[in-house]
Amino acid sequence: MSGNSKIIIKDVNLHFGKQHVLKNVTANIPEKQITVILGPSGCGKTTLLKTMNRLTDLYPNVKIKGSIHIGDDDVLNTKKDITEIRRHMGLLSQRPYPLPMNIFNNVAYGLRISGRKSKKYLKPRVQHYLQMANLWEEVKDRLTDPASSLSIGQQQRLCLARGLSVDPDIILADEPTSALDPLSSEVIENKFIELKSQYTIVMVTHSLQQARRIADYVIFMYLGEIVEQGPAEEFFNNPKQELTKKYIKGLFN
Amino acid sequence: MVVALVFSMTLPVMLAIGLYYKSSGLLMEQSLFNLIFSKDWRPLSGHFGLFPFIISSLWVTVLALIIAGPICLFSAIHLTQYAKSYVLKVMHPIIDILAGIPSVIFGVWGVVVIVPFVSQHIAPLFGKQTSGYTIMSGGIVLAVMIIPFILNILIEVFKSIPEELTEVTLSLGATRWMVVKHILMRKAFPGIVSAFGLGLSRAFGETIAVLMVVGNVTRIPHGALQPGYPLPALIANNYGEMLSIPMYDSALMLAAFVLLIIVIIFNFISRMVIHRMIKIM
């Protein structure tokens, strides 16, 4: 494996009440590559993603053991303020959830709450991130329109711009294209490939084709356990586990 | 089925027409404007100014909303955002019970507890002396009565906001409180307006509990620690009693008509606000 590990997950066990959702999950997520967490629905892949920035705190009756190191911090057991750590990770969810504000403010919000409020500072920043998300040309004349007036594909790109605005070094994406049409999906996928020179990207998907198209590193999960992980080429061409072979051939379900 | 539907749809209109028709006797003699804005209420000499009653009603209602509004809003936010899930499960039956208590019981509670409390504790704070039968007492009793209705709607409003919105906002480095203040409150705003609007309409028409504690003195109140005489109390106290006085029943019908119209206006305004807010978001 080339490069360094950005996120080091070790022996993570997660329970929702009595349900054992993540079982002894251990993985190293490489820096500045696209890591795809693959697996059928309900295998715990979204939960694993949300454990990385502790959104699991929101759920009732959650118990987590183990450690997730990002840089020097153990996210799960840190004494640091979790909001500060979350700022290093942009989140792109399954469906776009624009904030109930206009287009400009959607991108500016993250900057504003971290204290950067002057219009003079915000304007070029917002433009920069909207350009990064390939949305600027479409919205530059209607920045004061409500974000909900955009199409779903545009909204998802707006959410990407919003996530990038706080200058994270990790992008967490939870099936970010599952609600989009093929064309908008392609835009997002290409964007990810472009962005991976600057960001570590972790994406959850259940689409084998999508994983083949963009993954550098694959983590394959089934029923809360990691079945197999490795560099994409090796994973797809030379899988070691029976279960993986079956899944790749599409013999699942 | 269609007949039933048409019946229920035309009911408010028929009510309004009926009340208007019944009060038309008085309206032929005096102008509506005069009746609404005159403070002169002397039925024996034919003066039926409704202004003191309208103002009393507004006082009690607005006071009730000022008390109940923040309580409901903060409770709903706490219950849906911060509290453990079993708290909400415990709260639901409590709210239902509170909503189901007959209003006369709230009235008795008001007379026994709130009226003396206002007289002995609240009024002295402002250096005033009163029997306790005041707008303030009416407002407090009414606030308690509308809390379950407003709270119920607000809980639903906050529950209907997708959790992912909270997740994405947290990921931008927001704290829980920022999420509530900047995002959820904004998203919930139309719902909050409609909850308050419904509470307002309910409060405006509430009769018996208010009547028992508010003092029922025909005078324009100039503060919360003075007695008042709201519209519904006027109608309930007098209808069927002094109808030998000419035009008296007509005046009470007009009072009922005005009450109905004001409630409809409340409803209409909150609907408009909601409509505009939804467009903006």
Side-chain angles (χ1 to χ4, degrees):
Chain A
M1 190 170 64
S2 63
N4 303 323
S5 296
K6 179 74 183 172
I7 307 173
I8 300 167
I9 305 167
K10 209 166 169 217
D11 294 327
V12 169
N13 277 283
L14 184 143
H15 289 84
F16 281 139
K18 280 177 188 152
Q19 209 185 339
H20 199 173
V21 181
L22 296 178
K23 299 170 189 162
N24 296 319
V25 171
T26 297
N28 290 345
I29 291 173
E31 191 171 15
K32 292 187 179 162
Q33 293 192 12
I34 299 177
T35 298
V36 167
I37 305 177
L38 191 65
S41 311
C43 68
K45 51 194 194 302
T46 296
T47 308
L48 178 60
L49 193 78
K50 286 181 179 172
T51 314
M52 295 183 203
N53 68 352
R54 286 250 309 267
L55 283 176
T56 41
D57 287 7
L58 293 177
Y59 305 126
N61 306 321
V62 173
K63 271 199 205 101
I64 313 178
K65 281 189 202 126
S67 68
I68 297 179
H69 278 277
I70 298 175
D72 296 330
D73 298 313
D74 176 0
V75 176
L76 296 184
N77 307 298
T78 182
K79 291 200 173 70
K80 271 199 199 166
D81 188 5
I82 187 65
T83 50
E84 191 49 48
I85 293 175
R86 281 193 189 123
R87 202 170 287 158
H88 296 291
M89 290 176 256
L91 179 75
L92 208 54
S93 43
Q94 281 189 20
R95 294 168 34 81
Y97 287 95
L99 307 177
M101 329 173 158
N102 66 34
I103 295 170
F104 182 90
N105 286 334
N106 255 276
V107 184
Y109 180 77
L111 295 164
R112 282 216 180 95
I113 57 172
S114 57
R116 288 159 285 183
K117 288 182 181 155
S118 84
K119 257 245 141 83
K120 230 169 109 191
Y121 174 86
L122 290 173
K123 254 188 165 167
R125 296 274 90 193
V126 169
Q127 176 174 358
H128 172 72
Y129 291 116
L130 283 172
Q131 278 166 340
M132 268 182 95
N134 282 0
L135 191 62
W136 174 251
E137 287 303 319
E138 291 158 63
V139 300
K140 63 181 177 190
D141 300 320
R142 45 188 287 213
L143 291 172
T144 52
D145 284 6
S148 54
S149 67
L150 297 172
S151 75
I152 298 286
Q154 289 173 323
Q155 283 184 25
Q156 192 64 310
R157 276 178 282 149
L158 180 69
C159 291
L160 180 63
R162 178 182 68 190
L164 296 175
S165 73
V166 290
D167 205 16
D169 27 62
I170 299 170
I171 296 173
L172 303 176
D174 182 9
E175 301 189 27
T177 60
S178 62
L180 305 185
D181 59 276
L183 219 67
S184 307
S185 302
E186 208 185 313
V187 173
I188 295 274
E189 280 179 22
N190 289 339
K191 207 67 223 176
F192 275 8
I193 293 170
E194 221 177 295
L195 288 172
K196 74 178 176 186
S197 60
Q198 302 168 55
Y199 301 90
T200 301
I201 299 172
V202 184
M203 187 175 93
V204 163
T205 185
H206 58 236
S207 155
L208 206 57
Q209 289 81 0
Q210 188 172 48
R212 275 183 197 277
R213 282 196 296 269
I214 67 171
D216 298 309
Y217 191 82
V218 182
I219 297 172
F220 174 49
M221 290 183 72
Y222 186 64
L223 298 177
E225 283 175 291
I226 293 185
V227 177
E228 187 168 347
Q229 56 180 316
E233 208 155 304
E234 211 178 302
F235 179 89
F236 287 116
N237 297 333
N238 194 9
K240 292 180 187 66
Q241 305 289 330
E242 275 309 306
L243 212 56
T244 318
K245 285 178 196 161
K246 262 170 79 180
Y247 188 73
I248 290 174
K249 281 186 191 144
L251 298 174
F252 242 61
N253 303 330
Chain B
M1 274 191 281
V2 176
V3 176
L5 178 70
V6 169
F7 177 72
S8 53
M9 270 167 49
T10 52
L11 209 51
V13 180
M14 294 199 302
L15 256 171
I17 292 173
L19 288 173
Y20 183 79
Y21 174 73
K22 280 284 211 173
S23 54
S24 59
L26 186 61
L27 286 171
M28 299 246 222
E29 283 182 14
Q30 300 179 33
S31 77
L32 181 65
F33 183 86
N34 205 9
L35 286 164
I36 289 179
F37 290 103
S38 156
K39 51 186 172 183
D40 192 8
W41 177 264
R42 281 175 299 153
L44 283 175
S45 46
H47 294 289
F48 295 104
L50 292 174
F51 199 57
F53 306 102
I54 296 172
I55 293 299
S56 291
S57 273
L58 288 174
W59 260 105
V60 176
T61 309
V62 170
L63 192 63
L65 197 68
I66 289 173
I67 299 170
I71 294 177
C72 292
L73 190 57
F74 290 125
S75 308
I77 290 172
H78 183 83
L79 283 168
T80 54
Q81 304 302 317
Y82 294 97
K84 295 230 155 70
S85 56
Y86 72 86
V87 182
L88 192 57
K89 270 185 206 141
V90 175
M91 257 330 263
H92 266 305
I94 295 179
I95 293 172
D96 288 344
I97 291 169
L98 211 53
I101 295 175
S103 63
V104 68
I105 293 179
F106 281 106
V108 172
W109 170 74
V111 170
V112 174
V113 180
I114 297 301
V115 168
F117 182 77
V118 169
S119 153
Q120 287 159 23
H121 297 284
I122 295 183
L125 279 182
F126 298 93
K128 296 236 166 79
Q129 266 199 323
T130 139
S131 63
Y133 288 94
T134 55
I135 299 274
M136 176 71 86
S137 311
I140 294 173
V141 170
L142 201 49
V144 175
M145 293 180 69
I146 58 175
I147 279 175
F149 291 97
I150 299 181
L151 187 55
N152 230 345
I153 303 171
L154 286 182
I155 288 174
E156 289 311 313
V157 166
F158 279 101
K159 267 172 48 182
S160 71
I161 300 174
E163 201 156 359
E164 285 85 348
L165 201 58
T166 303
E167 293 183 356
V168 296
T169 315
L170 285 176
S171 314
L172 292 172
T175 59
R176 268 327 273 278
W177 174 237
M178 284 176 183
V179 175
V180 170
K181 200 170 69 170
H182 299 148
I183 307 301
L184 300 184
M185 291 279 259
R186 201 184 272 248
K187 191 88 182 164
F189 192 77
I192 295 172
V193 171
S194 75
F196 285 5
L198 274 170
L200 211 65
S201 312
R202 252 201 94 81
F204 206 82
E206 173 51 40
T207 310
I208 194 77
V210 178
L211 174 156
M212 289 166 78
V213 299
V214 84
N216 301 333
V217 175
T218 313
R219 199 178 58 190
I220 296 178
H222 292 289
L225 289 169
Q226 294 188 355
Y229 204 161
L231 277 172
L234 170 77
I235 302 165
N237 270 344
N238 296 305
Y239 195 76
E241 288 200 2
M242 297 200 277
L243 296 184
S244 53
I245 301 170
M247 288 297 161
Y248 203 108
D249 73 320
S250 207
L252 292 180
M253 285 303 155
L254 182 66
F257 181 65
V258 170
L259 185 66
L260 184 69
I261 295 300
I262 293 176
V263 170
I264 289 174
I265 291 174
F266 276 163
N267 264 314
F268 186 70
I269 291 175
S270 51
R271 248 167 234 283
M272 286 227 312
V273 174
I274 295 163
H275 192 68
R276 294 190 76 172
M277 279 311 294
I278 288 172
K279 259 196 198 158
I280 293 170
M281 288 195 307

